[in-house]
Amino acid sequence: MCQVSHLSPERFARRPAFSLTALALAMASLGSGNLHAAETNQAPTAAAVEIDAINVTGQSVEQPTEHVVGYVAKRNMSATKTSTPITETPQSLSVVTSDEIRDRQSETLGQALSYTPGLTSSSTAFNRTADRFRIRGFGVESGTGGSLRDGLRLQNNSYDGIQEPYGLERVEVIRGAASVLYGQLSPGGMINGVSKRPTETPFHELNLQVGSYDRKQLSADFSGPLAGSDTLSYRLTLLSRNSDTQQDHVNDDKFYIAPALTWRPNEDTSLTLLSFYQKTDTRFSASLPYQLTKGVGEGGFKIGRNDFIGEPGYDDMNGEMSTLGYEFQRHFNENFTLNHKLRYYESDVKFNYIQLPFSGNARAAAIAQASATGILARQYSDRRERARTWASDTNIESKWQLGSTEHTALVGFDGYDTSYDSHNFRGNAPSLDLTRYDYGQPFVVNRNSAADRGSQLDTLQKGVYFQDQIKFDDKWILVLGGRHDWADQQQEAHRNGVKASQDDEATTYRAGLVYLADNGLAPYISYSESFFPVPVASATGQTFDPTEGKQYEVGVRYQPKDSNLLLSAAIYELTQSNVLSNDSNGDPQQTDEVRSRGLELEAKADITSAVSLIASYAYTDARITKTVDPEKSVGQRSDETPYHQAALWTSYDFVNWGIPQLTVGAGARYMGTTQASKIDSAIPAYTLFDAMARYQIDENWAVTVNASNLTDKQYVLCGDSTCQYGDERTLLTSINFNW
């Protein structure tokens, strides 16, 4: 029986080696048949001719938007906006394939990227409402433009919703400054989710999942030619989940549907419609003051990792997120290609939650009182948020050769027209007795317009960019790029109608050089820049320059020819300047600077036809180098950023044991000590273990069991004087049927 690991027909071969072997055997059979036919039509010869065995191998060129078998992707689109081998890209990047996502049954991007070097994420409790990460010590999320879908920025606000991993073919992570191609970004980098697209090969998949916290989930994935058409193909991805969570009174319900359609009238033209609709029903798990967090604080009363400090009858988070867009590509000839993307995005979020007083003396008094008496003072936050975005990117890719020099040039224009309307009301809520959690005390929400803390924010960002990938002597690749951006902000406060505006311009550059050695080594060196406009409402009547990022990086990759192995190593220095903070008088000043230096190692490999491996390590030294904030100090480490971070995952197919239907996997994730603002002591390090077992019953049915945090390690994640409990042990069982 042929082993099947990815549960659709196009994914039956778990390792590329299997498909290559089959191809070799098929070609050998054809060859032997031809030789036999020739022998029957020829006269006998005096002696037989003995031909040495020939190993025939081959593989199609990987497309960075299509499915990759296994864990090792060899090409990417995010770093250059062209289909480029990773070994020819002079910047750190990681690709997480859909096979890797499926093997670990990742339900958030944070889980999908948990084995990626240089990246940290908040717990799943928080990730249900927002995709928030730190890369190389800098915050990367939708609020900083760092969350992308198919090469275009997705959400406008942190709490618009999260990307559903089941709807993605891969996730590409670019580490470090990357504004040259994408405009306003955090210097940490970006995360690009690549949508599942229509396939020419039909497949159908149904998956039923049950697990911890009364989890019930049904998902489906269908694709193939539409009604037998030669030019139209479709994809339909669906997911419906009903589940509780480790936290009392917090659910995790979701509905997701993503239809897609591709029209390909000829080999040179394609138009793909991409869309999704997502509805979530959950509750926001408020961060806890470190004084009341077990394992960190020293207060007499603590809030446990299952405890809920909100109000079950009031707290609610219902969100809807949807997109509709297309990607058009036209190859005019072998030298010129037009690429055009357009997408409309909208989100609506109802967001009610209760937590401690937000700041100032009231918060300090509430923490002191709760620590001493167990009576927790609280405030409500009543929010309605609506966002709309038109996003577009158009470029022309041209290729030409001048002597021994090959050029792949890119010239493009992109733009984002965004509207974000928020309404936010705050007020006092009844105190909570931590000894008995006496929910249900009545209170009144004041929604008077004079108390509205929200605003209408309209932004328009436009940018022109160019890039040239110059290859000479088949050994050297020089990448040069530049961009100019215009960013306009217009804001009107709902409370008093006060208007504010700010216009920014910025020019950014990048340069990189790669050497391709014959043995598969590819050392590189690069420089890149980023910028991000300071929000218009950071200070009344004041404007500030955009923050700027500059990165120097030296690295090396190793990928022997025709191997399914990719090793990467990089050292870097990344600095963000023009960072805003308040001085001793409470006035905002744009004088802060943050610097990150580090080392990152990553290995992804199919070691044999039965063994696959993912390994990563990151050393990150991110700290403040300039500040006027009296609550910060020069040399202070960046929040939620460990010095040391390591991960190891391996999967094993029992082919050599005569059980080709069985695959097991195991992993370990180590997170070193971290520092959090306003917390004197370091946050303890921890190690988590994961496991997986899959049994392929036949070519249609498979059963998979997954366990994350297998030992049920209790740990915390802290930043800016608040903490979150990490994820408890979770067990999932999946039954998959495909045809």
Side-chain angles (χ1 to χ4, degrees):
M1 179 182 294
C2 178
Q3 186 200 9
V4 182
S5 80
H6 211 297
L7 308 172
S8 55
E10 69 173 2
R11 305 169 183 179
F12 282 177
R14 178 65 180 90
R15 312 285 180 234
F18 294 169
S19 61
L20 293 179
T21 300
L23 177 62
L25 290 174
M27 295 190 68
S29 299
L30 290 173
S32 63
N34 291 336
L35 286 173
H36 179 73
E39 288 174 355
T40 60
N41 294 319
Q42 291 179 357
T45 58
V49 178
E50 183 177 340
I51 302 176
D52 294 335
I54 301 174
N55 294 323
V56 182
T57 60
Q59 66 184 75
S60 61
V61 177
E62 173 189 316
Q63 298 301 315
T65 58
E66 297 179 354
H67 176 73
V68 174
V69 177
Y71 300 158
V72 186
K74 298 181 180 180
R75 306 181 76 88
N76 83 103
M77 284 283 291
S78 299
T80 60
K81 288 190 178 180
T82 64
S83 179
T84 303
I86 294 176
T87 53
E88 298 182 10
T89 305
Q91 186 164 358
S92 289
L93 66 96
S94 297
V95 178
V96 177
T97 67
S98 56
D99 277 7
E100 184 178 343
I101 293 172
R102 177 178 295 242
D103 277 0
R104 294 200 297 272
Q105 291 294 319
S106 303
E107 61 182 273
T108 67
L109 282 186
Q111 291 181 347
L113 301 174
S114 58
Y115 286 77
T116 301
L119 182 145
T120 60
S121 170
S122 52
S123 67
T124 303
F126 191 85
N127 276 345
R128 284 190 298 273
T129 60
D131 285 324
R132 278 189 172 179
F133 308 92
R134 297 187 77 85
I135 301 178
R136 293 182 169 177
F138 296 92
V140 174
E141 55 165 312
S142 52
T144 62
S147 180
L148 285 79
R149 183 73 165 245
D150 301 315
L152 296 173
R153 290 200 297 274
L154 187 61
Q155 307 103 315
N156 297 343
N157 176 50
S158 298
Y159 302 103
D160 284 354
I162 68 173
Q163 295 198 54
E164 172 53 53
Y166 186 72
L168 302 177
E169 199 65 80
R170 61 167 64 189
V171 184
E172 298 183 344
V173 179
I174 307 300
R175 290 186 289 275
S179 285
V180 167
L181 293 179
Y182 295 96
Q184 53 194 59
L185 287 175
S186 161
M190 49 171 270
I191 296 169
N192 183 35
V194 179
S195 300
K196 290 180 175 179
R197 285 163 165 78
T199 64
E200 297 180 358
T201 303
F203 73 87
H204 313 84
E205 172 184 282
L206 289 173
N207 185 77
L208 174 65
Q209 188 180 91
V210 296
S212 302
Y213 317 116
D214 197 26
R215 180 186 181 92
K216 299 175 287 291
Q217 178 175 292
L218 181 65
S219 57
D221 193 8
F222 308 128
S223 188
L226 188 65
S229 172
D230 294 332
T231 60
L232 294 172
S233 55
Y234 80 98
R235 187 83 176 254
L236 181 63
T237 308
L238 304 104
L239 181 145
S240 179
R241 177 168 69 238
N242 181 273
S243 179
D244 293 328
T245 67
Q246 71 182 51
Q247 196 164 25
D248 297 340
H249 308 292
V250 177
N251 59 314
D252 180 20
D253 302 339
K254 175 182 269 190
F255 175 76
Y256 174 88
I257 181 170
L261 181 68
T262 292
W263 176 58
R264 193 181 301 275
N266 52 61
E267 293 183 354
D268 296 323
T269 307
S270 67
L271 175 66
T272 298
L273 302 179
L274 295 170
S275 64
F276 74 79
Y277 169 80
Q278 178 175 293
K279 181 177 177 59
T280 57
D281 181 4
T282 184
R283 285 172 175 159
F284 178 65
S285 300
S287 296
L288 306 175
Y290 76 91
Q291 299 93 332
L292 306 179
T293 305
K294 294 181 178 179
V296 181
E298 299 178 353
F301 291 85
K302 299 291 193 302
I303 301 170
R305 64 173 173 171
N306 305 121
D307 296 334
F308 181 61
I309 64 171
E311 280 290 331
Y314 173 76
D315 285 57
D316 190 27
M317 186 170 189
N318 287 300
E320 293 182 81
M321 182 166 60
S322 57
T323 68
L324 176 62
Y326 64 81
E327 296 182 355
F328 175 78
Q329 186 176 77
R330 170 66 176 173
H331 298 287
F332 294 102
N333 50 49
E334 62 182 9
N335 301 111
F336 288 94
T337 300
L338 171 67
N339 301 287
H340 172 60
K341 301 178 181 179
L342 179 68
R343 182 170 69 212
Y344 175 72
Y345 164 87
E346 68 176 37
S347 68
D348 290 274
V349 183
K350 176 186 177 184
F351 190 12
N352 298 337
Y353 63 97
I354 290 179
Q355 64 176 21
L356 271 72
F358 291 86
S359 61
N361 295 331
R363 182 177 180 87
I367 295 172
Q369 175 180 276
S371 299
T373 67
I375 304 301
L376 181 67
R378 301 180 299 171
Q379 284 188 345
Y380 67 80
S381 182
D382 195 280
R383 301 169 64 167
R384 304 292 186 275
E385 299 177 350
R386 186 177 187 185
R388 304 287 185 269
T389 297
W390 284 98
S392 178
D393 186 10
T394 303
N395 61 63
I396 294 178
E397 179 183 341
S398 61
K399 298 182 178 181
W400 74 92
Q401 185 164 343
L402 183 63
S404 61
T405 303
E406 301 175 10
H407 294 260
T408 301
L410 196 71
V411 179
F413 171 84
D414 61 21
Y416 297 86
D417 189 353
T418 298
S419 173
Y420 172 55
D421 184 24
S422 66
H423 298 268
N424 187 355
F425 304 91
R426 295 180 180 177
N428 293 326
S431 298
L432 184 69
D433 188 343
L434 299 179
T435 64
R436 56 191 183 99
Y437 286 85
D438 50 338
Y439 304 120
Q441 303 173 67
F443 65 99
V444 177
V445 176
N446 179 13
R447 297 193 179 95
N448 189 301
S449 60
D452 193 343
R453 300 170 57 90
S455 64
Q456 173 72 39
L457 176 63
D458 298 308
T459 62
L460 179 62
Q461 183 260 314
K462 307 179 295 292
V464 292
Y465 58 88
F466 77 91
Q467 176 184 266
D468 195 4
Q469 299 166 262
I470 309 168
K471 189 173 188 178
F472 46 98
D473 297 333
D474 289 327
K475 297 292 185 183
W476 296 92
I477 298 172
L478 177 64
V479 179
L480 301 174
R483 178 187 181 98
H484 190 79
D485 275 282
W486 298 265
D488 304 328
Q489 303 179 70
Q490 306 286 333
Q491 186 175 49
E492 181 176 355
H494 290 314
R495 177 188 300 179
N496 51 21
V498 173
K499 297 181 179 180
S501 63
Q502 182 168 317
D503 299 335
D504 294 299
E505 293 186 43
T507 302
T508 51
Y509 300 96
R510 76 183 282 187
L513 183 66
V514 184
Y515 177 74
L516 304 176
D518 294 335
N519 61 0
L521 283 172
Y524 68 88
I525 184 172
S526 66
Y527 168 80
S528 57
E529 297 178 345
S530 72
F531 92 104
F532 189 81
V534 175
V536 66
S538 297
T540 303
Q542 289 185 261
T543 60
F544 300 95
D545 294 330
T547 63
E548 297 177 351
K550 296 182 179 181
Q551 176 175 274
Y552 301 89
E553 181 173 298
V554 178
V556 62
R557 294 187 176 94
Y558 178 63
Q559 186 170 66
K561 186 178 179 180
D562 299 327
S563 72
N564 226 35
L565 165 72
L566 180 61
L567 307 180
S568 305
I571 57 174
Y572 64 89
E573 178 175 282
L574 174 59
T575 303
Q576 183 183 32
S577 57
N578 293 342
V579 180
L580 200 68
S581 68
N582 294 327
D583 62 18
S584 57
N585 297 319
D587 298 322
Q589 299 290 327
Q590 198 172 33
T591 58
D592 283 18
E593 181 183 89
V594 182
R595 186 214 65 214
S596 176
R597 295 172 175 167
L599 164 70
E600 293 166 350
L601 307 174
E602 185 176 38
K604 291 196 172 186
D606 292 326
I607 299 175
T608 69
S609 61
V611 181
S612 290
L613 176 74
I614 298 172
S616 67
Y617 169 79
Y619 171 80
T620 309
D621 181 8
R623 59 184 66 246
I624 297 171
T625 49
K626 294 181 182 178
T627 185
V628 294
D629 192 337
E631 295 186 347
K632 301 177 181 177
S633 60
V634 173
Q636 180 178 317
R637 292 170 61 188
S638 297
D639 286 12
E640 305 172 68
T641 304
Y643 282 134
H644 303 282
Q645 177 187 0
L648 176 66
W649 172 268
T650 183
S651 64
Y652 182 76
D653 300 335
F654 281 75
V655 175
N656 298 328
W657 295 72
I659 318 175
Q661 305 92 337
L662 179 63
T663 301
V664 299
R669 294 172 280 147
Y670 171 78
M671 189 71 65
T673 60
T674 58
Q675 199 69 46
S677 301
K678 305 171 189 176
I679 303 179
D680 294 332
S681 60
I683 310 305
Y686 58 88
T687 301
L688 307 178
F689 298 95
D690 309 313
M692 178 271 289
R694 178 174 57 246
Y695 189 82
Q696 192 74 41
I697 300 173
D698 55 33
E699 65 179 14
N700 301 113
W701 292 92
V703 177
T704 306
V705 178
N706 289 86
S708 60
N709 191 6
L710 189 61
T711 61
D712 201 23
K713 172 70 174 180
Q714 180 169 311
Y715 63 102
V716 295
L717 303 96
C718 302
D720 195 23
S721 76
T722 63
C723 299
Q724 303 168 347
Y725 288 106
D727 301 325
E728 296 180 340
R729 176 173 54 228
T730 302
L731 302 176
L732 298 174
T733 299
S734 303
I735 301 174
N736 189 280
F737 176 68
N738 72 88
W739 68 101

